[in-house]
Amino acid sequence: LAGLEPRSAPLLSGGVESSWIQSAINTHLGGKGEVPSFSFSVDSPSFAYEVESASQAAKDLGTKHEFVKVTEGDYRQNLVSAIQLLGQPLPDDVRPCFLALTGQIARGWEAVQTLFHGQIADGLHGVGSSLEVVQGDKYSSWPPGLLGILGKVLKPISQSKSYGAAKASEILRKRRNLSSPDQFLNAVGLYTDWDSVLGSFSPAEISQAFTMKRVLGYHYLETHLLVEQLNVLDLVTDGLDPACVVNQFGLFHGKQFVFPYSDESVVKATFAFEPVGRYTHGHRVKPILKSALESELPGSAASQPKGWSGMGEETLFGWMREGELSELVQDIERPGFMKQADFEKKLEQPDWFTWNLLTLDVFKKEVLGD
């Protein structure tokens, strides 16, 4: 933080990760005046909670918050621009909003040179499914079948123990099926329609893709704990890749992104905690971050569920079906791995697989020149 103010500002979404960064900035500045913060808003019902969370966090933390509104037209323009800039399809649906955000900051707030972002905190401190996966570690030596029976027997006696046994049985069963999208490691960053995948690729190709992703996590940390395998894989895929993308957008507009949770000293300090307690405590995910934030700001975002940060299926699919993205969707060239009937259905009834096809098609045309 030293030397960065007043040229720096955080992206504040209202979640515990960004709120803790803002709290640290406030402490560093000694409460001297309002610190600016930014986030983007999308005209979508699914985004109303995100806007409310950011507004409340800004109020609690005393920041002068600025919302950058991303319209449907902005989204289409930045979708194409983002793929051209990156030279690759996009990792998720919200990345075009970050390009729009950094562009607006560059035009309206020239003095702001550095932007703080809470990316990769999930992989370090616990993704949402950690509460389920950790049950597999607690009962790892038990036969899954016996755990399933135990879950039913305990239901009238203890709801929490019944849930733990049943969930452990489910996780341990799924662990064995390495070709299934329900296997918790395979599910990391899997944003698509699974039936369409099965209809487009062979079992061998799908298995190879899943294996390549799982092995990536093992390169960074070998651990027998299921919950740690899950979070490390999220860290090196769903965490670092989007962070690199956002940083590229910032550099394009002359802004530097800083990701405090990726700092070497922060990573080392985080991994010094015992794994299970690092990711979960009781019924809580991210217990370390939440406890730290609560000590600084009682009744803050630490105790509020932030929800999913995304465009929302209703909005995104609607734009692809009949909105600003529909022309791009109808212009998609059928890839060789899809049958004509399946392809036409995806154009008529857009879903996440259609989104994958769209970003791939834009990449091929705008980057490869196909």
Side-chain angles (χ1 to χ4, degrees):
L1 290 172
L4 291 178
E5 72 287 344
R7 301 175 293 109
S8 61
L11 300 189
L12 182 62
S13 65
V16 63
E17 303 92 340
S18 60
S19 296
W20 175 243
I21 291 174
Q22 182 64 65
S23 178
I25 291 174
N26 290 351
T27 300
H28 176 72
L29 296 178
K32 295 181 291 186
E34 290 185 329
V35 178
S37 60
F38 297 92
S39 66
F40 59 83
S41 64
V42 180
D43 187 16
S44 164
S46 64
F47 228 80
Y49 186 74
E50 178 96 4
V51 172
E52 181 182 346
S53 296
S55 299
Q56 185 60 51
K59 181 179 178 181
D60 293 341
L61 291 158
T63 75
K64 185 178 180 181
H65 195 73
E66 299 284 353
F67 282 104
V68 173
K69 186 175 181 179
V70 181
T71 66
E72 191 175 346
D74 294 332
Y75 187 84
R76 170 181 168 153
Q77 177 183 345
N78 283 280
L79 164 66
V80 176
S81 297
I83 294 173
Q84 291 172 330
L85 175 61
L86 295 172
Q88 67 176 54
L90 298 177
D92 58 57
D93 58 309
V94 299
R95 293 311 117 183
C97 297
F98 281 99
L99 183 57
L101 173 68
T102 53
Q104 287 284 359
I105 293 174
R107 290 186 290 271
W109 293 273
E110 294 182 5
V112 175
Q113 296 297 311
T114 306
L115 295 165
F116 289 90
H117 194 305
Q119 187 71 26
I120 87 160
D122 280 351
L124 279 180
H125 290 274
V127 297
S129 56
S130 295
L131 284 174
E132 298 178 354
V133 175
V134 77
Q135 301 302 321
D137 286 314
K138 291 181 179 179
Y139 300 95
S140 59
S141 61
W142 290 55
L146 180 59
L147 285 170
I149 296 172
L150 185 61
K152 294 178 181 178
V153 172
L154 291 174
K155 194 168 185 178
I157 304 171
S158 172
Q159 287 288 336
S160 61
K161 286 184 171 58
S162 171
Y163 168 84
K167 187 56 64 174
S169 175
E170 179 184 336
I171 291 297
L172 292 174
R173 288 180 188 275
K174 289 179 178 179
R175 182 189 191 186
R176 299 173 178 176
N177 193 353
L178 298 180
S179 61
S180 169
D182 292 330
Q183 210 272 3
F184 61 93
L185 294 182
N186 292 343
V188 173
L190 187 64
Y191 309 121
T192 193
D193 172 58
W194 185 245
D195 288 337
S196 299
V197 174
L198 291 176
S200 300
F201 304 99
S202 70
E205 290 170 327
I206 295 171
S207 177
Q208 182 182 23
F210 280 147
T211 300
M212 290 174 65
K213 184 169 72 170
R214 291 194 306 270
V215 168
L216 181 62
Y218 302 149
H219 285 314
Y220 288 87
L221 181 68
E222 290 189 21
T223 174
H224 69 281
L225 292 173
L226 308 184
V227 70
E228 193 159 45
Q229 292 174 13
L230 167 71
N231 283 284
V232 168
L233 185 56
D234 181 271
L235 176 66
V236 300
T237 57
D238 222 16
L240 289 178
D241 187 35
C244 292
V245 167
V246 169
N247 195 47
Q248 285 293 100
F249 293 161
L251 293 174
F252 178 75
H253 288 296
K255 307 300 180 185
Q256 176 70 54
F257 271 92
V258 173
F259 303 94
Y261 295 102
S262 69
D263 181 83
E264 183 178 358
S265 59
V266 173
V267 173
K268 286 183 177 180
T270 305
F271 273 87
F273 286 86
E274 183 269 332
V276 174
R278 180 195 318 146
Y279 301 119
T280 68
H281 181 71
H283 300 290
R284 218 176 196 197
V285 180
K286 298 187 180 79
I288 300 171
L289 279 185
K290 290 179 179 179
S291 296
L293 183 57
E294 285 174 340
S295 68
E296 295 289 330
L297 198 68
S300 66
S303 58
Q304 302 298 323
K306 179 172 170 288
W308 170 254
S309 298
M311 297 291 299
E313 295 183 358
E314 179 182 349
T315 297
L316 184 62
F317 298 171
W319 289 357
M320 289 194 291
R321 184 174 57 252
E322 55 194 7
E324 292 276 355
L325 298 179
S326 61
E327 183 180 351
L328 291 176
V329 169
Q330 294 304 317
D331 196 42
I332 295 174
E333 296 181 4
R334 181 176 65 88
F337 55 77
M338 288 196 76
K339 298 177 181 178
Q340 183 68 35
D342 294 337
F343 177 67
E344 291 177 356
K345 184 178 180 180
K346 290 304 172 187
L347 300 192
E348 293 172 3
Q349 302 174 21
D351 58 14
W352 287 117
F353 198 80
T354 313
W355 163 258
N356 301 146
L357 294 175
L358 173 59
T359 60
L360 175 62
D361 188 72
V362 173
F363 164 71
K364 290 168 66 177
K365 292 173 179 175
E366 298 292 334
V367 179
L368 301 182
D370 289 356

PDB file of all heavy atoms in Angstrom, residues 35-56:
ATOM      1  N   VAL A  35     -12.049   7.084   0.628  1.00  0.00           N
ATOM      2  CA  VAL A  35     -11.260   6.411  -0.400  1.00  0.00           C
ATOM      3  C   VAL A  35     -12.214   5.996  -1.517  1.00  0.00           C
ATOM      4  O   VAL A  35     -13.262   5.410  -1.251  1.00  0.00           O
ATOM      5  CB  VAL A  35     -10.561   5.168   0.172  1.00  0.00           C
ATOM      6  CG1 VAL A  35      -9.786   4.443  -0.908  1.00  0.00           C
ATOM      7  CG2 VAL A  35      -9.653   5.570   1.321  1.00  0.00           C
ATOM      8  N   PRO A  36     -11.905   6.279  -2.782  1.00  0.00           N
ATOM      9  CA  PRO A  36     -12.809   5.864  -3.851  1.00  0.00           C
ATOM     10  C   PRO A  36     -12.793   4.347  -4.035  1.00  0.00           C
ATOM     11  O   PRO A  36     -11.785   3.689  -3.777  1.00  0.00           O
ATOM     12  CB  PRO A  36     -12.236   6.565  -5.088  1.00  0.00           C
ATOM     13  CG  PRO A  36     -10.787   6.739  -4.777  1.00  0.00           C
ATOM     14  CD  PRO A  36     -10.720   6.990  -3.289  1.00  0.00           C
ATOM     15  N   SER A  37     -13.906   3.800  -4.450  1.00  0.00           N
ATOM     16  CA  SER A  37     -13.991   2.383  -4.774  1.00  0.00           C
ATOM     17  C   SER A  37     -14.898   2.242  -5.990  1.00  0.00           C
ATOM     18  O   SER A  37     -15.707   3.122  -6.289  1.00  0.00           O
ATOM     19  CB  SER A  37     -14.528   1.565  -3.596  1.00  0.00           C
ATOM     20  OG  SER A  37     -15.836   1.994  -3.233  1.00  0.00           O
ATOM     21  N   PHE A  38     -14.754   1.125  -6.696  1.00  0.00           N
ATOM     22  CA  PHE A  38     -15.485   0.934  -7.947  1.00  0.00           C
ATOM     23  C   PHE A  38     -16.084  -0.465  -8.030  1.00  0.00           C
ATOM     24  O   PHE A  38     -15.579  -1.416  -7.432  1.00  0.00           O
ATOM     25  CB  PHE A  38     -14.544   1.121  -9.149  1.00  0.00           C
ATOM     26  CG  PHE A  38     -13.953   2.491  -9.276  1.00  0.00           C
ATOM     27  CD1 PHE A  38     -12.722   2.791  -8.693  1.00  0.00           C
ATOM     28  CD2 PHE A  38     -14.617   3.481  -9.980  1.00  0.00           C
ATOM     29  CE1 PHE A  38     -12.174   4.052  -8.810  1.00  0.00           C
ATOM     30  CE2 PHE A  38     -14.071   4.749 -10.101  1.00  0.00           C
ATOM     31  CZ  PHE A  38     -12.846   5.035  -9.524  1.00  0.00           C
ATOM     32  N   SER A  39     -17.140  -0.573  -8.800  1.00  0.00           N
ATOM     33  CA  SER A  39     -17.680  -1.857  -9.229  1.00  0.00           C
ATOM     34  C   SER A  39     -18.549  -1.585 -10.448  1.00  0.00           C
ATOM     35  O   SER A  39     -18.869  -0.433 -10.744  1.00  0.00           O
ATOM     36  CB  SER A  39     -18.495  -2.542  -8.123  1.00  0.00           C
ATOM     37  OG  SER A  39     -19.659  -1.803  -7.820  1.00  0.00           O
ATOM     38  N   PHE A  40     -18.903  -2.641 -11.165  1.00  0.00           N
ATOM     39  CA  PHE A  40     -19.781  -2.453 -12.313  1.00  0.00           C
ATOM     40  C   PHE A  40     -21.182  -2.961 -11.976  1.00  0.00           C
ATOM     41  O   PHE A  40     -21.368  -3.794 -11.092  1.00  0.00           O
ATOM     42  CB  PHE A  40     -19.243  -3.144 -13.568  1.00  0.00           C
ATOM     43  CG  PHE A  40     -19.035  -4.625 -13.432  1.00  0.00           C
ATOM     44  CD1 PHE A  40     -20.091  -5.510 -13.607  1.00  0.00           C
ATOM     45  CD2 PHE A  40     -17.778  -5.137 -13.143  1.00  0.00           C
ATOM     46  CE1 PHE A  40     -19.900  -6.878 -13.486  1.00  0.00           C
ATOM     47  CE2 PHE A  40     -17.572  -6.510 -13.019  1.00  0.00           C
ATOM     48  CZ  PHE A  40     -18.641  -7.375 -13.193  1.00  0.00           C
ATOM     49  N   SER A  41     -22.165  -2.427 -12.675  1.00  0.00           N
ATOM     50  CA  SER A  41     -23.540  -2.880 -12.509  1.00  0.00           C
ATOM     51  C   SER A  41     -24.115  -3.208 -13.878  1.00  0.00           C
ATOM     52  O   SER A  41     -23.769  -2.583 -14.880  1.00  0.00           O
ATOM     53  CB  SER A  41     -24.400  -1.811 -11.826  1.00  0.00           C
ATOM     54  OG  SER A  41     -24.508  -0.653 -12.639  1.00  0.00           O
ATOM     55  N   VAL A  42     -24.952  -4.210 -13.911  1.00  0.00           N
ATOM     56  CA  VAL A  42     -25.589  -4.657 -15.148  1.00  0.00           C
ATOM     57  C   VAL A  42     -27.093  -4.564 -14.961  1.00  0.00           C
ATOM     58  O   VAL A  42     -27.616  -4.888 -13.883  1.00  0.00           O
ATOM     59  CB  VAL A  42     -25.187  -6.105 -15.492  1.00  0.00           C
ATOM     60  CG1 VAL A  42     -25.856  -6.558 -16.784  1.00  0.00           C
ATOM     61  CG2 VAL A  42     -23.675  -6.220 -15.606  1.00  0.00           C
ATOM     62  N   ASP A  43     -27.802  -4.102 -15.973  1.00  0.00           N
ATOM     63  CA  ASP A  43     -29.255  -3.983 -15.895  1.00  0.00           C
ATOM     64  C   ASP A  43     -29.869  -5.372 -15.984  1.00  0.00           C
ATOM     65  O   ASP A  43     -30.333  -5.812 -17.029  1.00  0.00           O
ATOM     66  CB  ASP A  43     -29.775  -3.090 -17.025  1.00  0.00           C
ATOM     67  CG  ASP A  43     -31.264  -2.796 -16.879  1.00  0.00           C
ATOM     68  OD1 ASP A  43     -31.799  -3.029 -15.778  1.00  0.00           O
ATOM     69  OD2 ASP A  43     -31.883  -2.350 -17.865  1.00  0.00           O
ATOM     70  N   SER A  44     -29.844  -6.061 -14.871  1.00  0.00           N
ATOM     71  CA  SER A  44     -30.302  -7.445 -14.812  1.00  0.00           C
ATOM     72  C   SER A  44     -30.852  -7.733 -13.415  1.00  0.00           C
ATOM     73  O   SER A  44     -30.251  -7.316 -12.415  1.00  0.00           O
ATOM     74  CB  SER A  44     -29.141  -8.399 -15.113  1.00  0.00           C
ATOM     75  OG  SER A  44     -29.436  -9.714 -14.707  1.00  0.00           O
ATOM     76  N   PRO A  45     -32.000  -8.421 -13.298  1.00  0.00           N
ATOM     77  CA  PRO A  45     -32.536  -8.760 -11.978  1.00  0.00           C
ATOM     78  C   PRO A  45     -31.545  -9.540 -11.127  1.00  0.00           C
ATOM     79  O   PRO A  45     -31.491  -9.375  -9.906  1.00  0.00           O
ATOM     80  CB  PRO A  45     -33.773  -9.618 -12.314  1.00  0.00           C
ATOM     81  CG  PRO A  45     -34.180  -9.174 -13.679  1.00  0.00           C
ATOM     82  CD  PRO A  45     -32.889  -8.864 -14.391  1.00  0.00           C
ATOM     83  N   SER A  46     -30.747 -10.377 -11.767  1.00  0.00           N
ATOM     84  CA  SER A  46     -29.792 -11.195 -11.022  1.00  0.00           C
ATOM     85  C   SER A  46     -28.665 -10.370 -10.435  1.00  0.00           C
ATOM     86  O   SER A  46     -27.942 -10.832  -9.553  1.00  0.00           O
ATOM     87  CB  SER A  46     -29.207 -12.285 -11.933  1.00  0.00           C
ATOM     88  OG  SER A  46     -28.462 -11.702 -12.987  1.00  0.00           O
ATOM     89  N   PHE A  47     -28.508  -9.152 -10.920  1.00  0.00           N
ATOM     90  CA  PHE A  47     -27.412  -8.311 -10.446  1.00  0.00           C
ATOM     91  C   PHE A  47     -27.837  -7.344  -9.343  1.00  0.00           C
ATOM     92  O   PHE A  47     -27.008  -6.621  -8.790  1.00  0.00           O
ATOM     93  CB  PHE A  47     -26.824  -7.517 -11.613  1.00  0.00           C
ATOM     94  CG  PHE A  47     -25.326  -7.569 -11.676  1.00  0.00           C
ATOM     95  CD1 PHE A  47     -24.677  -8.660 -12.224  1.00  0.00           C
ATOM     96  CD2 PHE A  47     -24.555  -6.537 -11.174  1.00  0.00           C
ATOM     97  CE1 PHE A  47     -23.292  -8.725 -12.264  1.00  0.00           C
ATOM     98  CE2 PHE A  47     -23.171  -6.585 -11.215  1.00  0.00           C
ATOM     99  CZ  PHE A  47     -22.545  -7.682 -11.759  1.00  0.00           C
ATOM    100  N   ALA A  48     -29.135  -7.329  -9.018  1.00  0.00           N
ATOM    101  CA  ALA A  48     -29.630  -6.393  -8.009  1.00  0.00           C
ATOM    102  C   ALA A  48     -28.977  -6.633  -6.653  1.00  0.00           C
ATOM    103  O   ALA A  48     -28.613  -5.689  -5.938  1.00  0.00           O
ATOM    104  CB  ALA A  48     -31.147  -6.518  -7.893  1.00  0.00           C
ATOM    105  N   TYR A  49     -28.793  -7.903  -6.301  1.00  0.00           N
ATOM    106  CA  TYR A  49     -28.186  -8.212  -5.004  1.00  0.00           C
ATOM    107  C   TYR A  49     -26.721  -7.784  -4.966  1.00  0.00           C
ATOM    108  O   TYR A  49     -26.213  -7.336  -3.938  1.00  0.00           O
ATOM    109  CB  TYR A  49     -28.309  -9.707  -4.713  1.00  0.00           C
ATOM    110  CG  TYR A  49     -27.842 -10.083  -3.329  1.00  0.00           C
ATOM    111  CD1 TYR A  49     -28.620  -9.779  -2.222  1.00  0.00           C
ATOM    112  CD2 TYR A  49     -26.635 -10.733  -3.126  1.00  0.00           C
ATOM    113  CE1 TYR A  49     -28.204 -10.106  -0.939  1.00  0.00           C
ATOM    114  CE2 TYR A  49     -26.208 -11.073  -1.852  1.00  0.00           C
ATOM    115  CZ  TYR A  49     -26.999 -10.758  -0.762  1.00  0.00           C
ATOM    116  OH  TYR A  49     -26.581 -11.073   0.499  1.00  0.00           O
ATOM    117  N   GLU A  50     -26.030  -7.930  -6.101  1.00  0.00           N
ATOM    118  CA  GLU A  50     -24.629  -7.508  -6.188  1.00  0.00           C
ATOM    119  C   GLU A  50     -24.505  -6.001  -5.947  1.00  0.00           C
ATOM    120  O   GLU A  50     -23.626  -5.545  -5.214  1.00  0.00           O
ATOM    121  CB  GLU A  50     -24.087  -7.859  -7.574  1.00  0.00           C
ATOM    122  CG  GLU A  50     -22.661  -7.432  -7.820  1.00  0.00           C
ATOM    123  CD  GLU A  50     -21.655  -8.537  -7.579  1.00  0.00           C
ATOM    124  OE1 GLU A  50     -22.068  -9.659  -7.290  1.00  0.00           O
ATOM    125  OE2 GLU A  50     -20.458  -8.252  -7.674  1.00  0.00           O
ATOM    126  N   VAL A  51     -25.400  -5.237  -6.561  1.00  0.00           N
ATOM    127  CA  VAL A  51     -25.385  -3.779  -6.385  1.00  0.00           C
ATOM    128  C   VAL A  51     -25.698  -3.412  -4.938  1.00  0.00           C
ATOM    129  O   VAL A  51     -25.060  -2.535  -4.348  1.00  0.00           O
ATOM    130  CB  VAL A  51     -26.398  -3.118  -7.343  1.00  0.00           C
ATOM    131  CG1 VAL A  51     -26.539  -1.629  -7.049  1.00  0.00           C
ATOM    132  CG2 VAL A  51     -25.970  -3.325  -8.792  1.00  0.00           C
ATOM    133  N   GLU A  52     -26.664  -4.095  -4.369  1.00  0.00           N
ATOM    134  CA  GLU A  52     -27.029  -3.833  -2.974  1.00  0.00           C
ATOM    135  C   GLU A  52     -25.868  -4.150  -2.036  1.00  0.00           C
ATOM    136  O   GLU A  52     -25.585  -3.390  -1.095  1.00  0.00           O
ATOM    137  CB  GLU A  52     -28.247  -4.674  -2.594  1.00  0.00           C
ATOM    138  CG  GLU A  52     -28.734  -4.465  -1.175  1.00  0.00           C
ATOM    139  CD  GLU A  52     -29.909  -5.358  -0.820  1.00  0.00           C
ATOM    140  OE1 GLU A  52     -30.512  -5.938  -1.741  1.00  0.00           O
ATOM    141  OE2 GLU A  52     -30.222  -5.475   0.379  1.00  0.00           O
ATOM    142  N   SER A  53     -25.164  -5.260  -2.291  1.00  0.00           N
ATOM    143  CA  SER A  53     -24.036  -5.647  -1.446  1.00  0.00           C
ATOM    144  C   SER A  53     -22.916  -4.614  -1.519  1.00  0.00           C
ATOM    145  O   SER A  53     -22.334  -4.237  -0.495  1.00  0.00           O
ATOM    146  CB  SER A  53     -23.503  -7.018  -1.874  1.00  0.00           C
ATOM    147  OG  SER A  53     -24.463  -8.023  -1.674  1.00  0.00           O
ATOM    148  N   ALA A  54     -22.597  -4.167  -2.732  1.00  0.00           N
ATOM    149  CA  ALA A  54     -21.537  -3.177  -2.904  1.00  0.00           C
ATOM    150  C   ALA A  54     -21.910  -1.861  -2.242  1.00  0.00           C
ATOM    151  O   ALA A  54     -21.072  -1.202  -1.606  1.00  0.00           O
ATOM    152  CB  ALA A  54     -21.258  -2.966  -4.392  1.00  0.00           C
ATOM    153  N   SER A  55     -23.177  -1.462  -2.377  1.00  0.00           N
ATOM    154  CA  SER A  55     -23.633  -0.206  -1.777  1.00  0.00           C
ATOM    155  C   SER A  55     -23.533  -0.247  -0.255  1.00  0.00           C
ATOM    156  O   SER A  55     -23.075   0.710   0.382  1.00  0.00           O
ATOM    157  CB  SER A  55     -25.079   0.084  -2.191  1.00  0.00           C
ATOM    158  OG  SER A  55     -25.190   0.227  -3.586  1.00  0.00           O
ATOM    159  N   GLN A  56     -23.947  -1.380   0.329  1.00  0.00           N
ATOM    160  CA  GLN A  56     -23.897  -1.504   1.786  1.00  0.00           C
ATOM    161  C   GLN A  56     -22.458  -1.540   2.286  1.00  0.00           C
ATOM    162  O   GLN A  56     -22.121  -0.917   3.307  1.00  0.00           O
ATOM    163  CB  GLN A  56     -24.637  -2.766   2.225  1.00  0.00           C
ATOM    164  CG  GLN A  56     -24.755  -2.922   3.737  1.00  0.00           C
ATOM    165  CD  GLN A  56     -25.501  -1.772   4.383  1.00  0.00           C
ATOM    166  OE1 GLN A  56     -26.602  -1.419   3.964  1.00  0.00           O
ATOM    167  NE2 GLN A  56     -24.910  -1.173   5.415  1.00  0.00           N
TER     168      GLN A  56
END
